[in-house]
Amino acid sequence: MGNPAGIDQSRLLEPHDWTFPVPIAYGPGRLSEIGARCAALGVSNPLIVTDRGSRDLPFILQLGEYLSAAGLESQVFSEISPNPRDDEIGAGCNVFRAGKHDAIIAIGGGSAMDGGKAICLTANNDIDLWAFEFEQPVPDVPANQPFPTLITIPTTAGTGAETESTAMVTHVDKGMKFCIWHPDLKPALALLDPELTVGLPPHLTAWTGVDAMTHAIEAYCVPEFHPLCDGLALEGLSLISQWLPVAYREPDNIAARGGMLVGSCLAGIAFLKGLGMVHAISHMVGAEYDTQHGLTNAIILPVVMRFNLTDLEVKARRMAEAMRIDDDTPSGLVMAVERVLDDLEIPKSLAEIGVPLDCVERIAEKALQDSAAGTNPVAVDLSTARQLVEQAIRKAR
């Protein structure tokens, strides 16, 4: 295969430092720099935040050893679910305060990123977590209660959550997911080490990889004029399309893992522009049924693409070009994405992952309240939302 993305494969095996949109350190083996990086940021006692499934994985032990070797104290908080809950965030804040920590290192997949960022929002102040909900007025944070230093280290190439403060958290009482954030919370460092993704099982490589693909596609389709995000979305889609099949087939291929990690990061920055109905539905399914986010997105993706792309011929053509697809019509693009999903052994319906048909009305109503629904390129009413949810449950493709 050629290299339409325009990136020499050898570049993916070398270290690179970028400053946009936050300081980013990319390269194999760069986790070993974490002690020096923390010292340079004035961090002496970070709280390591990860999810339950990652608590005993080698990179957590490795991270602790690097910090200890640099003379830094640390503690691990791992009580984060696959779909982080507001009560877990409160527990993490208590651990942060009790341990007198001065920073948070969020390491793991999307749930770890969301958990770490959410804890950062409330660890040093008495503001209610839900005051930071995306649709609410931005709360005033006292100057003498600054956010802790935040370092993000993704170990999956999927969520692209490492460069921003946005976090998806489940409101337990409401059974809904909401986006929380604050414009003044920015990661002081995003460390992208493709070696940390090598141990990811094939099914998680697939699920998280399609999550990144979904970010790129949905962000690009948002109608707002934002050429910066559009450029990142298309380049991210190009990298993901090139390297996801390779990473799935050849899990030890560092170049493929690196290409996916960079592609995921670009797509994650791109969706600052917004997302769409794939995420609006997926967020609510995940909140109720605790499904894996990337897998849920992957199943819903072709349903929403068929609905959205009817009047987006030009954007379909640009995405097909990025993905190196000959049939650049909307239907050709959807069929090509479906082939990718089949090659990655993605289930064909939400029913196959335990989502019952009797939730259609409830999920549709909740999805329309999600902030991502507001940036879908085609307006969606309750009747249409019901149809999309039902189709995804019965058979998405």
Side-chain angles (χ1 to χ4, degrees), residues 225-247:
F225 179 68
H226 200 318
L228 297 175
C229 285
D230 286 348
L232 294 174
L234 290 173
E235 181 67 3
L237 184 59
S238 180
L239 284 165
I240 293 161
S241 301
Q242 179 178 0
W243 292 112
L244 178 54
V246 182

Side-chain angles (χ1 to χ4, degrees), residues 218-226 230 273 275 312 315 374-378:
E218 286 213 291
Y220 185 62
C221 289
V222 172
E224 179 188 350
F225 179 68
H226 200 318
D230 286 348
K273 181 186 175 191
L275 289 165
L312 298 179
K315 288 200 171 187
T375 49
N376 196 69
V378 181

Side-chain angles (χ1 to χ4, degrees), residues 104-184:
I104 285 176
I105 299 177
I107 181 169
S111 56
M113 297 289 113
D114 285 349
K117 290 186 288 186
I119 292 170
C120 257
L121 286 172
T122 52
N124 282 343
N125 59 64
D126 297 322
I127 301 173
D128 183 79
L129 178 69
W130 296 114
F132 292 96
E133 201 268 314
F134 189 79
E135 300 293 338
Q136 301 299 319
V138 176
D140 290 327
V141 178
N144 63 347
Q145 297 176 350
F147 296 122
T149 299
L150 173 63
I151 296 172
T152 53
I153 307 176
T155 63
T156 66
T159 66
E162 58 270 10
T163 64
E164 253 299 339
S165 68
T166 51
M168 294 304 303
V169 178
T170 298
H171 193 303
V172 174
D173 291 342
K174 294 183 178 180
M176 296 173 65
K177 269 189 178 183
F178 293 96
C179 179
I180 59 174
W181 81 307
H182 193 283
D184 293 341

Side-chain angles (χ1 to χ4, degrees), residues 355-374:
V355 180
L357 196 58
D358 62 12
C359 76
V360 168
E361 183 75 19
R362 190 171 64 250
I363 294 297
E365 290 177 351
K366 290 181 178 180
L368 290 179
Q369 299 176 55
D370 190 276
S371 58

Side-chain angles (χ1 to χ4, degrees), residues 180-329:
I180 59 174
W181 81 307
H182 193 283
D184 293 341
L185 175 61
K186 300 285 185 183
L189 173 69
L191 194 152
L192 310 184
D193 184 343
E195 289 184 357
L196 302 181
T197 70
V198 167
L200 201 65
H203 70 283
L204 287 178
T205 297
W207 299 352
T208 57
V210 179
D211 188 20
M213 179 181 288
T214 304
H215 293 155
I217 291 171
E218 286 213 291
Y220 185 62
C221 289
V222 172
E224 179 188 350
F225 179 68
H226 200 318
L228 297 175
C229 285
D230 286 348
L232 294 174
L234 290 173
E235 181 67 3
L237 184 59
S238 180
L239 284 165
I240 293 161
S241 301
Q242 179 178 0
W243 292 112
L244 178 54
V246 182
Y248 183 69
R249 294 191 310 266
E250 305 171 21
D252 294 333
N253 187 317
I254 291 292
R257 293 294 191 178
M260 279 303 301
L261 203 52
V262 174
S264 170
C265 184
L266 295 179
I269 300 168
F271 76 71
L272 290 175
K273 181 186 175 191
L275 289 165
M277 284 304 297
V278 177
H279 276 78
I281 296 169
S282 179
H283 288 157
M284 301 313 163
V285 170
E288 285 211 23
Y289 299 101
D290 207 26
T291 55
Q292 204 278 341
H293 175 67
L295 174 60
T296 312
N297 277 351
I299 295 171
I300 300 169
L301 178 60
V303 174
V304 175
M305 286 184 70
R306 280 194 294 270
F307 172 73
N308 281 341
L309 290 179
T310 304
D311 297 320
L312 298 179
E313 290 88 353
V314 174
K315 288 200 171 187
R317 192 178 311 127
R318 295 288 303 279
M319 288 188 286
E321 180 183 7
M323 296 179 71
R324 298 166 289 282
I325 297 167
D326 292 334
D327 184 348
D328 61 4
T329 64

